[in-house]
């Protein structure tokens, strides 16, 4: 079983910063791509940023230049540094990971429970 645990969500004023963390634990062979997604009330979940095991990153246009995703492979942890936060960034942020459970080249995707980020104007 694989568990993803997020932390770092909080209430912050517009223009402020937050750093989210997501740590993976359990028994697995390796972790491929990891990423952050968010879902605001009444909206569909959307991609925020992803990062591969080789540190290749991808960002949603809405967060480019403000958010930075990073990864510590030794700790099976990813981070999301969020700067210049806007009220429209308010959402539940969830971590996702593509995990190889065995040496076989097939992955299974796991989700964390989410952490609330609220940006006040």
């Amino acid at each position: 079983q694989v568990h993803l645990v997020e932390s770092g969500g909080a209430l912050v004023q517009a223009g402020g910063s937050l750093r989210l963390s997501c740590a993976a634990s359990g028994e697995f062979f390796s972790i491929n791509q990891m990423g952050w997604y968010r879902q605001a009330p009444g909206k569909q979940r959307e991609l925020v940023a992803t990062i591969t095991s080789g540190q290749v990153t991808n960002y949603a246009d809405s967060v480019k230049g403000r958010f930075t995703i990073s990864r510590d492979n030794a700790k099976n942890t990813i981070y999301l540094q969020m700067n210049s936060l806007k009220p429209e960034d308010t959402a539940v942020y969830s971590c996702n990971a593509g995990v190889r459970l065995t040496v076989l080249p097939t992955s299974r995707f796991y989700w964390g429970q989410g952490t609330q980020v609220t940006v006040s104007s």
Side-chain angles (χ1 to χ4, degrees):
Q1 189 71 1
V2 177
H3 297 281
L4 301 177
V5 179
E6 302 103 331
S7 61
L11 170 64
V12 64
Q13 288 188 332
S17 298
L18 282 176
R19 189 191 193 210
L20 306 183
S21 299
C22 171
S25 63
E27 295 185 1
F28 48 84
F29 179 73
S30 66
I31 302 177
N32 299 325
Q33 181 170 288
M34 298 184 74
W36 290 98
Y37 293 74
R38 67 186 182 186
Q39 186 168 20
K43 295 187 178 181
Q44 289 189 329
R45 183 163 56 193
E46 62 177 0
L47 179 146
V48 176
T50 61
I51 186 167
T52 69
S53 57
Q55 307 291 339
V56 176
T57 60
N58 179 55
Y59 294 93
D61 288 342
S62 59
V63 306
K64 283 181 180 177
R66 300 189 297 123
F67 291 9
T68 302
I69 189 170
S70 60
R71 178 168 177 166
D72 185 334
N73 286 327
K75 296 181 179 180
N76 295 314
T77 299
I78 61 169
Y79 307 93
L80 186 68
Q81 178 65 44
M82 304 186 293
N83 298 328
S84 303
L85 283 162
K86 305 175 182 179
E88 51 263 44
D89 294 318
T90 295
V92 174
Y93 285 70
S94 298
C95 174
N96 173 269
V99 180
R100 287 177 63 183
L101 298 177
T102 71
V103 68
L104 296 176
T106 55
S107 296
R108 181 174 177 179
F109 290 91
Y110 293 85
W111 289 93
Q113 83 286 351
T115 186
Q116 177 70 46
V117 172
T118 303
V119 185
S120 62
S121 57

